[in-house]
Amino acid sequence: MKRNKILIACDSSRSLLDFRGRLMEELLVNHNVCVFTPKIHQIHVRKKLERLGISIYENDLNGSTISIFSDLAYIIKLFKLMRSLKPDVFFPYTFKPVIYGTLVANFCHVNRITPMLTGLGYSFLNTNSKKQVIKLITRTLLKISLKANKRTSLILQNKDDYNTLIRAGIINTNQAAHIVNGSGVDLSHYDYSEPEPGSLNFLMISRLINAKGVNEYYEAAKIILQKHPNVRFTLIGAYDPNVDAIDAALYNKIKAGNVIEYKGEVDDVRSFIKACSVVVLPSYYGEGVPRCILEGMAMGRAIITSDSVGCRETINLSSDQPSGFLVPIKNATCLAEKMLYFILNPLHIVSYGKNGRAYAFEKFDVRKVNLQMLQILEGPTVFA
């Protein structure tokens, strides 16, 4: 097998090890790997990448904000890098790297381009938002960048996203497209542990943006605490200037700590998952497959999430091996009802959690997902 030069582009350096670490290790067996990433501020991330032998090229991209000048600088820098490196394979993931990177890679005639959309986000939500112009621009650019050609194979994380892109006219049924089970989860890294009996703690892991359901989590917690004041609610995640960030009033209520224990952004979620009883994500964001749910399942935690794109993929609704509940989007009352179920049936927290870990082994084991990814990145483009 030829030793290819693979260039990976992302919009967050934190994701390189958390989401692609094991995949890069697999790729390095037979290929050379380079990453084009926003500035790496975490020393352990940089050291691990260097230790693996991965070439690092940094930029100033901010994936959460809109800036014409910043985005243009990113495009120019990536163009120069591609002309210099001449990669055999280009693997961008998340919106800006996919849109800009795929355009640049096609212009530079990169032999194999494998853009991955890890969810379609608010740009494909059917809301009467003030951000309609941003949505229109995003969809238009995506349609241009993903225009069918023999070099490009699109990667998605659920069938709903594929159908949405078809209906929106972004792609067509003749284009090469692959669906994988999310980013996978390393079941050897996220060890099983049984929840502590008698102490109920619900945990949400999410950036503080509206479409993740932060407000619904807060309101459901208020409902529960009226009759069950000893139940705890924890929230982990960064507050950043995303176009869909929660408003200042809600953020201040959360920080006050009267309803939710807010921990901010953390480097390792495992201790928090171990300390919780149930993992909650009431998202209507347009997820690929939410990583935080997979992490909770891997560690044996029952799940409550929304019946929305990506989230519904994670729940085993089998009558004999249920792993959690799906709730309607934007419905704090229904979310509270499912929380109450676990409060009143604590033994089910353990059994649902065990079922969830078994489901993670069956469907989301990172080794199985990476086998799919390797076949896509290494193999010939196949048109469906």
Side-chain angles (χ1 to χ4, degrees):
M1 179 185 294
K2 175 190 173 186
R3 193 168 184 86
N4 286 323
K5 185 182 294 182
I6 300 175
L7 176 60
I8 299 174
C10 62
D11 69 358
S12 168
S13 60
R14 292 176 62 92
S15 71
L16 284 168
L17 294 182
D18 291 345
F19 291 79
R20 311 287 166 233
R22 290 295 295 271
L23 175 61
M24 290 191 293
E25 289 177 7
E26 294 284 350
L27 288 170
L28 284 164
V29 173
N30 294 309
H31 308 288
N32 300 319
V33 177
C34 313
V35 296
F36 187 57
T37 174
K39 290 277 193 315
I40 300 175
H41 299 293
Q42 295 174 292
I43 295 175
H44 77 276
V45 172
R46 184 182 299 277
K47 287 186 175 179
K48 178 66 180 292
L49 293 173
E50 290 174 345
R51 188 163 62 249
L52 288 171
I54 294 170
S55 301
I56 302 169
Y57 302 91
E58 294 175 282
N59 59 67
D60 297 310
L61 180 70
N62 187 328
S64 300
T65 58
I66 307 298
S67 170
I68 294 174
F69 296 108
S70 173
D71 290 2
L72 184 59
Y74 174 84
I75 292 170
I76 293 170
K77 195 165 189 176
L78 179 55
F79 171 73
K80 291 180 178 178
L81 179 62
M82 281 199 188
R83 291 294 294 269
S84 172
L85 284 179
K86 294 181 173 60
D88 301 288
V89 181
F90 178 57
F91 170 45
Y93 60 94
T94 62
F95 265 104
K96 285 189 179 182
V98 164
I99 290 173
Y100 301 143
T102 302
L103 287 170
V104 172
N106 272 303
F107 186 80
C108 292
H109 300 288
V110 173
N111 182 55
R112 185 161 184 77
I113 307 167
T114 56
M116 171 185 268
L117 288 173
T118 56
L120 298 183
Y122 65 84
S123 293
F124 286 83
L125 290 176
N126 295 319
T127 59
N128 296 319
S129 170
K130 297 176 182 179
K131 309 175 186 72
Q132 292 298 336
V133 174
I134 297 173
K135 292 182 181 181
L136 179 60
I137 292 171
T138 300
R139 292 186 185 201
T140 302
L141 289 174
L142 199 58
K143 183 174 182 177
I144 295 170
S145 68
L146 296 180
K147 185 177 180 181
N149 63 64
K150 294 181 180 179
R151 294 189 299 273
T152 304
S153 283
L154 176 63
I155 306 171
L156 299 166
Q157 296 191 336
N158 61 70
K159 187 72 173 180
D160 286 328
D161 284 352
Y162 176 78
N163 291 332
T164 296
L165 292 176
I166 293 290
R167 288 194 301 269
I170 306 294
I171 62 173
N172 61 62
T173 55
N174 293 321
Q175 288 180 242
H178 309 266
I179 299 171
V180 300
N181 289 325
S183 300
V185 62
D186 185 349
L187 289 149
S188 65
H189 183 70
Y190 295 92
D191 295 328
Y192 174 81
S193 65
E194 197 162 296
E196 289 290 331
S199 175
L200 263 74
N201 178 12
F202 293 91
L203 171 66
M204 179 175 176
I205 306 170
S206 164
R207 289 178 297 145
L208 273 59
I209 60 177
N210 291 307
K212 289 286 189 179
V214 176
N215 182 65
E216 286 73 17
Y217 181 61
Y218 180 83
E219 292 299 324
K222 284 171 55 180
I223 293 170
I224 294 295
L225 289 172
Q226 290 175 2
K227 293 186 177 180
H228 300 274
N230 294 324
V231 174
R232 294 171 54 206
F233 297 88
T234 306
L235 174 62
I236 294 171
Y239 179 77
D240 58 38
N242 186 286
V243 293
D244 194 40
I246 62 172
D247 62 41
L250 177 57
Y251 184 45
N252 288 332
K253 289 178 185 177
I254 289 171
K255 286 195 301 180
N258 299 321
V259 176
I260 291 173
E261 299 174 33
Y262 177 52
K263 304 297 183 179
E265 189 174 30
V266 302
D267 289 333
D268 191 338
V269 300
R270 287 176 296 177
S271 63
F272 293 93
I273 295 174
K274 186 175 182 179
C276 85
S277 312
V278 178
V279 171
V280 179
L281 185 69
S283 172
Y284 47 98
Y285 180 68
E287 308 275 357
V289 173
R291 177 59 177 265
C292 62
I293 297 182
L294 300 187
E295 292 168 334
M297 291 166 63
M299 294 187 69
R301 293 301 176 268
I303 304 296
I304 304 175
T305 190
S306 53
D307 189 6
S308 62
V309 174
C311 294
R312 66 173 67 101
E313 307 285 330
T314 63
I315 300 297
N316 185 357
L317 297 175
S318 167
S319 59
D320 59 341
Q321 289 187 316
S323 60
F325 293 110
L326 295 177
V327 297
I329 64 171
K330 302 183 184 181
N331 193 324
T333 302
C334 189
L335 177 59
E337 289 173 358
K338 297 308 180 186
M339 291 175 171
L340 182 61
Y341 175 88
F342 284 121
I343 294 169
L344 299 179
N345 299 276
L347 293 180
H348 286 189
I349 294 174
V350 176
S351 62
Y352 276 52
K354 288 180 178 179
N355 291 340
R357 181 166 170 86
Y359 196 50
F361 265 106
E362 175 189 332
K363 187 173 180 180
F364 299 108
D365 186 339
V366 72
R367 295 172 299 178
K368 295 179 180 178
V369 174
N370 283 347
L371 182 60
Q372 291 177 283
M373 291 295 298
L374 287 171
Q375 291 171 344
I376 297 166
L377 293 172
E378 295 175 342
T381 301
V382 178
F383 286 86

